[in-house]
Amino acid sequence: MAVLRSSVETASEEFSANAAAMEEKLQEIGRLLAEAAAGGGPEATARHISRGKLPLRQRLALLLDPDSPFLELSALAGAETNYAVGGGLLLGIGVVEGTECVVLGNDPTVLGGAMTAVAYKKIERGLEVARQNRLPYIQFVESAGGDLRGGGGHGGDPEAELRRNMTHFAETGSIFKEITQLSAAGIPTISVVFGSSTAGGAYQPGLSDYNIFVERSAKVFLGGPPLVKMATGEDSDDEELGGAEMHARVSGLADYLARDEPDAIRIAREVVAHLHWRKLGPGPTEPPDDPLCDPEDLLGLVSADLRAPLDIREVIARVVDGSRFEEFKAAYGETLVCGFSSVHGFPVGVLGNNGVLFSDSSQKAAQFIQLCNQIGTPLLFLQNITGYMVGRQYERGGIVKHGSQMINALSNSKVPHVTVIIGASYGAGNYGMGGRAFDTRFVFLWPTAKIAVMGPRQMAGVMSLVRRGRAARRGEALDEAAEQMRSAFVEELAERQSLALYATGRVSDDGIIDPRDTRHVVGMALSACHSSVVAGAAGFGVFRL
């Protein structure tokens, strides 16, 4: 297989400026990651520890195999919103007794582990990852229940509170359904209950395959003592109503009674060990050599001005094994680079943007996606795309038809898809290049990523043209100064809402990553995908479009 060579001038002023801008973005990401890891802050954490409890990330460290990797997902959920960064939850894929598992944990130092709107999105994402990739699901339960406050986390609006209450029912019910569906699909679900699990939260362990309760700490009941008193007149305390020992000896809800938190985590590891879990995918088959081109260079490849050209082969050369890449149709449809390679030994078909998608590049993509499905090879999309080409010439040439062929091939592809958004991800280009809407298993962002219906400048310009046309039809004069101010406002708003932090804060992806980690993140994602069957689409043979 051919080896990619780099032509990047790492000593150039442009490269240095790009790297400096990327490092500045990474510093901000690092600050936010530290904020998420700190949970509810020093006071809340100290209070938590004073009760004999371990911090959430210490619980995780005890669960995972020593020196094994942990792929954290949606780490910055809640960023750029009124909710806590991290969403009061920890979610990721880690190795327990040699088995890759989805691990999700409430952080009781953040609002007592209450389930906010962001937390629900994160939980749903965790359940989806477990289902799509056939990964055992472990949840650390310690939650005050649903956050019923309105107004985006600040309350004060009765109507908003009412709407939030109704949404809470739908969200909670969906989570319950998905936990049981994991079990029905033969995917084990394990709950480790460290503290309170009240009302709807009681169904988290109630619907799990295995339950581990911490003695004198876990409390699970549909209604706490005050509610029971009001509903039935009974007087009771937490322990006799829903304590760990009662559930272990009387109700039978608890399968294992742990002495303390480390003991509970030890038992969880034993449960995973007895599953004797086996992956169904073929696993890595290629030599997992490090790239010949230095991944450190990934810092300086992307300009802050995403209109600046980037040869996506420079990224590929720093991500794939040994920088080896068998390019497909290299002389045809040159704005899309397609080819066969591997990442950490897992074969992949790579599709990367080198400009807008024309008819020829769209047809090339459709054929390549079908070829990868024929041989059961997962797809890796590297997005830097402003969309499909527009204009009279291209419409007459069939861009709608050819773009639709590409999207059709993608929609019916059955192999796993992993997407990394490097720069622009605009309009239908996001769809065709493996956007989240097309059952993509994992979507990661570089700090430079921008996701929007179209570029901010184009959006402001289009809206201005629409307003001008409307004014002309009505015979009205347009206030140019006001129009310019309005356009500037639209462009600024569209720019802010297209940024990576805005998207990841709303759990529209799996997280912002350091470009230098791209190879390892993709490798871990592919490994998770191979826990399930990796097979292509059946049906028609490949159409040479």
Side-chain angles (χ1 to χ4, degrees), residues 81-84 116-118 147 149-157 160-161 163-164:
T81 73
N82 291 329
Y83 294 101
T116 64
V118 170
D147 175 22
R149 302 171 303 160
H154 288 296
D157 180 354
E161 289 186 22
R163 289 193 300 272
R164 181 72 190 90

Side-chain angles (χ1 to χ4, degrees), residues 456-457 459-460 484-499:
R457 184 176 301 176
M459 181 178 293
Q484 288 180 14
M485 289 180 62
R486 189 179 294 114
S487 292
F489 172 78
V490 169
E491 183 174 346
E492 188 278 331
L493 180 64
E495 173 71 17
R496 183 175 66 83
Q497 293 184 347
S498 73
L499 297 178

Side-chain angles (χ1 to χ4, degrees), residues 92-116:
I93 299 172
V95 182
V96 181
E97 290 290 335
T99 300
E100 286 160 300
C101 302
V102 171
V103 183
L104 183 140
N106 301 115
D107 189 340
T109 69
V110 181
L111 297 176
M115 302 294 194
T116 64

Side-chain angles (χ1 to χ4, degrees), residues 142-419:
E142 185 167 8
S143 170
D147 175 22
L148 302 182
R149 302 171 303 160
H154 288 296
D157 180 354
E159 288 294 326
E161 289 186 22
L162 179 60
R163 289 193 300 272
R164 181 72 190 90
N165 289 349
M166 298 306 294
T167 304
H168 164 66
F169 281 116
E171 290 170 336
T172 306
S174 175
I175 289 168
F176 295 164
K177 179 187 72 173
E178 290 180 37
I179 291 174
T180 60
Q181 287 177 337
L182 286 183
S183 181
I187 300 172
T189 55
I190 302 166
S191 284
V192 186
V193 185
F194 293 101
S196 176
S197 183
T198 310
Y203 287 105
Q204 286 181 269
L207 297 169
S208 296
D209 296 344
Y210 299 91
N211 285 326
I212 304 160
F213 285 25
V214 178
E215 196 173 25
R216 296 182 300 278
S217 182
K219 296 174 179 60
V220 178
F221 30 58
L222 295 182
L227 177 59
V228 170
K229 176 66 175 178
M230 293 301 298
T232 69
E234 289 181 356
D235 290 308
S236 58
D237 60 32
D238 285 353
E239 282 298 325
E240 64 179 351
L241 187 63
E245 189 164 352
M246 186 281 290
H247 282 303
R249 299 181 185 280
V250 180
S251 79
L253 180 62
D255 304 312
Y256 303 88
L257 184 61
R259 298 186 306 274
D260 51 27
E261 294 193 4
D263 189 44
I265 296 168
R266 176 192 63 78
I267 295 170
R269 287 179 54 82
E270 288 185 350
V271 170
V272 174
H274 88 235
L275 297 175
H276 302 296
W277 198 248
R278 298 290 183 270
K279 289 190 171 189
L280 300 182
T285 58
E286 304 299 319
D289 310 323
D290 290 337
L292 297 182
C293 299
D294 190 354
E296 190 73 22
D297 297 341
L298 293 171
L299 288 180
L301 294 183
V302 181
S303 170
D305 181 358
L306 297 183
R307 293 172 298 179
L310 165 65
D311 186 351
I312 202 66
R313 295 176 186 85
E314 297 288 356
V315 175
I316 297 170
R318 291 163 173 82
V319 172
V320 301
D321 295 336
S323 300
R324 294 183 296 272
F325 186 64
E326 178 192 331
E327 189 163 352
F328 175 74
K329 268 182 156 51
Y332 183 82
E334 295 180 70
T335 58
L336 184 70
V337 175
C338 299
F340 300 97
S341 191
S342 65
V343 179
H344 278 285
F346 292 97
V348 288
V350 182
L351 298 91
N353 300 118
N354 256 3
V356 298
L357 288 163
F358 292 92
S359 284
D360 55 0
S361 44
S362 300
Q363 291 177 302
K364 172 179 171 178
Q367 183 185 1
F368 184 71
I369 290 169
Q370 291 176 82
L371 289 171
C372 288
N373 270 264
Q374 271 199 335
I375 58 176
T377 296
L379 298 172
L380 170 61
F381 293 89
L382 301 176
Q383 282 198 19
N384 184 24
I385 177 67
T386 55
Y388 290 86
M389 192 62 191
V390 297
R392 183 183 305 169
Q393 172 187 346
Y394 306 104
E395 298 291 358
R396 292 169 68 90
I399 187 62
V400 172
K401 177 176 66 176
H402 299 135
S404 297
Q405 288 168 349
M406 177 178 175
I407 292 175
N408 191 326
L410 177 71
S411 301
N412 293 287
S413 169
K414 300 302 181 185
V415 296
H417 306 160
V418 177
T419 297

Side-chain angles (χ1 to χ4, degrees), residues 8-16:
V8 171
E9 295 290 340
T10 57
S12 70
E13 290 185 9
E14 180 185 7
F15 183 91
S16 298

